Amino acid sequence: MFKKSLAAGISAISAAALLGLGSAPAQAADNPCGGPYQTIAYVDGRLPGDGGDDDGSMVAYAGGTGYLCVVFYNETPGGANRMYFNVCPGKVSGPGCGTDDGKYATYAGPIRIEDTGCFTAAYKMRNEADTTWLISGKRSYGPRC
């Protein structure tokens, strides 16, 4: 689904290593961030708080604009799930954070934040019946965290 690409003059692998997220496949053909954004980090099946069924992924995109664009993908079969997604530059909530909360079959976001070399993402997804959390976690990413 994803292939390797370059991100703002830095190889995706190098950018992902800087973020501490492992290898980073290239942006999907239907990149929801649009514009100059390309994949720099891809977290699949290793989201802290995922119950082990690999129900979601998070992708961070950079475009050389001083901003990151972050997306939380729903990878469950079937229809829409309630998803909550909050992303902040740095390690604490405050000015510059973005939130998306709703029922989505594909993804929550995109959320654009200032690229400070560190961002914190809180992400939750309920099952389709809205009776239990499939994913509920929070983690900071980046070389300056």
Side-chain angles (χ1 to χ4, degrees):
M1 181 169 148
F2 291 88
K3 297 176 185 171
K4 294 195 187 232
S5 74
L6 296 178
I10 301 173
S11 76
I13 294 173
S14 297
L18 287 173
L19 286 174
L21 297 173
S23 65
Q27 78 186 47
D30 60 347
N31 169 5
C33 296
Y37 290 97
Q38 296 195 5
T39 304
I40 61 164
Y42 175 72
V43 182
D44 179 37
R46 292 183 300 273
L47 286 175
D50 191 338
D53 293 331
D54 195 15
D55 295 313
S57 297
M58 185 169 49
V59 180
Y61 300 91
T65 61
Y67 289 88
L68 292 177
C69 177
V70 190
V71 180
F72 177 29
Y73 286 94
N74 178 351
E75 295 178 340
T76 62
N81 296 63
R82 175 156 180 260
M83 300 176 76
Y84 170 84
F85 191 40
N86 175 265
V87 183
C88 297
K91 293 181 82 171
V92 296
S93 295
C97 296
T99 300
D100 193 3
D101 189 3
K103 288 194 89 164
Y104 304 108
T106 311
Y107 58 81
I111 296 175
R112 288 169 181 80
I113 59 167
E114 183 181 354
D115 185 357
T116 63
C118 176
F119 71 96
T120 300
Y123 41 84
K124 297 180 181 185
M125 181 169 44
R126 293 182 71 78
N127 64 348
E128 199 171 333
D130 204 15
T131 58
T132 188
W133 291 107
L134 298 173
I135 300 174
S136 181
K138 181 176 182 179
R139 182 171 172 200
S140 295
Y141 301 91
R144 294 186 210 127
C145 287

